[in-house]
Amino acid sequence: MATVNFSVPDEVKDAFNATFRDKNKSAIIADLMREAVDRAQRKERARQAVGRILERRQSAPVVTTAECRHARETGRP
Protein backbone atom coordinates (compact mmCIF):
# COMPACT_ATOMS: atom_id res chain seq x y z
CA MET A 1 0.00 0.00 0.00
CA ALA A 2 1.25 3.48 -0.88
CA THR A 3 1.48 6.57 1.29
CA VAL A 4 0.32 9.84 -0.26
CA ASN A 5 0.89 13.35 1.08
CA PHE A 6 -1.36 16.27 0.10
CA SER A 7 -1.53 19.86 1.25
CA VAL A 8 -5.03 21.05 2.08
CA PRO A 9 -6.31 24.24 3.68
CA ASP A 10 -6.36 24.05 7.47
CA GLU A 11 -10.13 24.58 7.62
CA VAL A 12 -10.67 21.57 5.33
CA LYS A 13 -8.38 19.42 7.45
CA ASP A 14 -10.08 20.54 10.66
CA ALA A 15 -13.58 19.95 9.27
CA PHE A 16 -12.55 16.52 7.94
CA ASN A 17 -11.02 15.49 11.25
CA ALA A 18 -14.05 16.71 13.19
CA THR A 19 -16.53 15.04 10.85
CA PHE A 20 -14.72 11.72 10.74
CA ARG A 21 -13.32 11.75 14.30
CA ASP A 22 -13.90 8.06 15.06
CA LYS A 23 -13.56 6.71 11.54
CA ASN A 24 -10.76 5.17 9.52
CA LYS A 25 -9.63 8.34 7.74
CA SER A 26 -7.31 6.46 5.38
CA ALA A 27 -10.22 4.34 4.16
CA ILE A 28 -12.38 7.44 3.71
CA ILE A 29 -9.68 9.21 1.70
CA ALA A 30 -9.16 6.08 -0.42
CA ASP A 31 -12.91 5.92 -1.15
CA LEU A 32 -12.97 9.61 -2.06
CA MET A 33 -10.01 9.11 -4.37
CA ARG A 34 -11.74 6.16 -6.04
CA GLU A 35 -14.87 8.27 -6.54
CA ALA A 36 -12.81 11.11 -8.01
CA VAL A 37 -11.07 8.74 -10.42
CA ASP A 38 -14.39 7.19 -11.44
CA ARG A 39 -15.97 10.63 -11.95
CA ALA A 40 -13.04 11.82 -14.07
CA GLN A 41 -13.11 8.64 -16.17
CA ARG A 42 -16.88 8.94 -16.74
CA LYS A 43 -16.44 12.59 -17.72
CA GLU A 44 -13.74 11.64 -20.23
CA ARG A 45 -15.89 8.83 -21.69
CA ALA A 46 -18.78 11.28 -22.04
CA ARG A 47 -16.50 13.82 -23.72
CA GLN A 48 -15.30 11.18 -26.16
CA ALA A 49 -18.87 10.03 -26.86
CA VAL A 50 -19.94 13.59 -27.65
CA GLY A 51 -16.93 13.91 -29.93
CA ARG A 52 -17.91 10.73 -31.79
CA ILE A 53 -21.51 11.92 -32.15
CA LEU A 54 -20.43 15.31 -33.47
CA GLU A 55 -17.98 13.65 -35.86
CA ARG A 56 -20.68 11.33 -37.24
CA ARG A 57 -23.05 14.26 -37.55
CA GLN A 58 -20.72 15.81 -40.11
CA SER A 59 -21.50 12.99 -42.55
CA ALA A 60 -25.17 12.53 -41.63
CA PRO A 61 -27.67 13.28 -44.38
CA VAL A 62 -29.49 16.59 -44.14
CA VAL A 63 -33.20 16.12 -43.49
CA THR A 64 -35.74 18.90 -43.65
CA THR A 65 -38.37 19.56 -41.01
CA ALA A 66 -41.06 18.46 -43.45
CA GLU A 67 -39.25 15.15 -44.06
CA CYS A 68 -38.95 14.58 -40.31
CA ARG A 69 -42.64 15.31 -39.80
CA HIS A 70 -43.59 12.99 -42.67
CA ALA A 71 -41.42 10.19 -41.24
CA ARG A 72 -43.05 10.59 -37.81
CA GLU A 73 -46.55 10.58 -39.20
CA THR A 74 -46.14 7.78 -41.75
CA GLY A 75 -47.65 4.55 -40.56
CA ARG A 76 -49.38 6.02 -37.54
CA PRO A 77 -53.01 4.98 -37.08
Side-chain angles (χ1 to χ4, degrees):
M1 187 164 306
T3 298
V4 183
N5 293 313
F6 293 102
S7 296
V8 296
D10 287 333
E11 63 271 11
V12 172
K13 177 187 159 208
D14 295 341
F16 182 85
N17 285 333
T19 302
F20 300 106
R21 181 174 301 116
D22 298 324
K23 306 289 184 198
N24 180 340
K25 293 178 187 78
S26 293
I28 293 166
I29 294 294
D31 286 343
L32 291 170
M33 290 175 74
R34 283 186 198 97
E35 288 177 20
V37 168
D38 184 53
R39 185 172 44 249
Q41 290 173 343
R42 279 182 301 179
K43 187 174 182 178
E44 177 60 20
R45 286 192 303 270
R47 189 194 64 75
Q48 289 176 1
V50 168
R52 288 191 303 272
I53 290 168
L54 293 175
E55 185 178 310
R56 289 180 191 152
R57 191 167 185 233
Q58 297 298 317
S59 60
V62 177
V63 181
T64 66
T65 303
E67 290 171 320
C68 285
R69 184 177 301 112
H70 176 67
R72 281 195 313 267
E73 294 171 354
T74 301
R76 287 189 177 178

